């Protein structure tokens, strides 16, 4: 009884959650796609192996998988895949434990933001996309 409002609006809230979770991925995936040469150069300068392949993976995961989750297409498996990708980017891209001072703090914040996003993606994997999705049954 206490949570009736949430139950009545569950599908709308899941849609909102999908959109809000994906804003970061879609925006930065689009930036990587439209500035692909710069993305490759950045990855190369950061020591990422196979920077062109890594940039392609980043664009696909962030932009295309992000859009798929927004519209609710293959939501559960893609949410799990994106959770694994996000965990990997946290470890590879925000290794604060090897840094000092301000750089350490900024990367620690981003590392734990990624970990929080992984939690949201796992919840989406469990709950599914809701009624307002391509996946709806």
């Amino acid at each position: 009884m206490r949570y009736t409002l949430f139950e009545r609006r569950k599908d709308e809230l899941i849609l909102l959650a999908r959109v809000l979770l994906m804003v970061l991925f879609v925006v930065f995936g689009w930036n990587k796609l439209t500035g692909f040469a710069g993305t490759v150069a950045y990855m190369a300068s950061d020591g990422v192996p196979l920077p062109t392949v890594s940039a392609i993976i980043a664009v696909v995961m962030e932009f295309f998988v992000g859009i798929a989750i927004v519209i609710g297409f293959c939501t559960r498996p893609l949410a799990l895949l994106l959770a694994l990708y996000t965990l990997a980017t946290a470890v590879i891209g925000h290794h604060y434990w090897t840094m000092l001072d301000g750089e350490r703090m900024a990367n620690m914040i981003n590392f734990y933001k990624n970990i929080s996003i992984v939690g949201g993606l796992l919840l989406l994997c469990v709950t599914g996309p809701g009624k307002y999705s391509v996946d709806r049954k």
Side-chain angles (χ1 to χ4, degrees):
M1 180 95 164
R2 183 180 342 165
Y3 301 112
T4 305
L5 173 64
F6 298 120
E7 280 301 315
R8 280 198 319 249
R9 296 290 179 211
K10 182 176 117 180
D11 291 305
E12 290 84 358
L13 290 171
I14 291 172
L15 172 61
L16 181 61
R18 284 195 340 253
V19 170
L20 293 175
L21 267 171
M22 292 303 107
V23 165
L24 175 78
F25 292 103
V26 172
V27 167
F28 285 95
W30 177 254
N31 288 342
K32 287 175 177 73
L33 178 62
T34 58
F36 191 75
T39 301
V40 172
Y42 172 76
M43 289 191 174
S45 73
D46 210 28
V48 175
L50 303 168
T52 302
V53 173
S54 296
I56 291 169
I57 291 168
V59 167
V60 168
M61 292 303 298
E62 294 178 23
F63 185 71
F64 293 105
V65 170
I67 291 293
I69 291 174
V70 166
I71 65 171
F73 177 74
C74 294
T75 305
R76 290 174 190 254
L78 289 179
L80 180 59
L81 184 63
L82 194 55
L84 294 172
Y85 168 83
T86 304
L87 180 60
T89 60
V91 172
I92 293 167
H94 302 295
H95 44 92
Y96 68 90
W97 51 90
T98 66
M99 300 172 183
L100 300 171
D101 303 325
E103 186 182 30
R104 177 182 173 89
M105 184 54 67
N107 277 279
M108 181 186 284
I109 290 167
N110 285 318
F111 177 87
Y112 284 106
K113 281 182 183 178
N114 277 27
I115 298 303
S116 295
I117 292 166
V118 168
L121 289 165
L122 291 175
L123 275 172
L124 184 57
C125 185
V126 170
T127 63
K131 180 169 83 173
Y132 302 110
S133 67
V134 174
D135 289 344
R136 74 184 172 272
K137 293 184 180 181

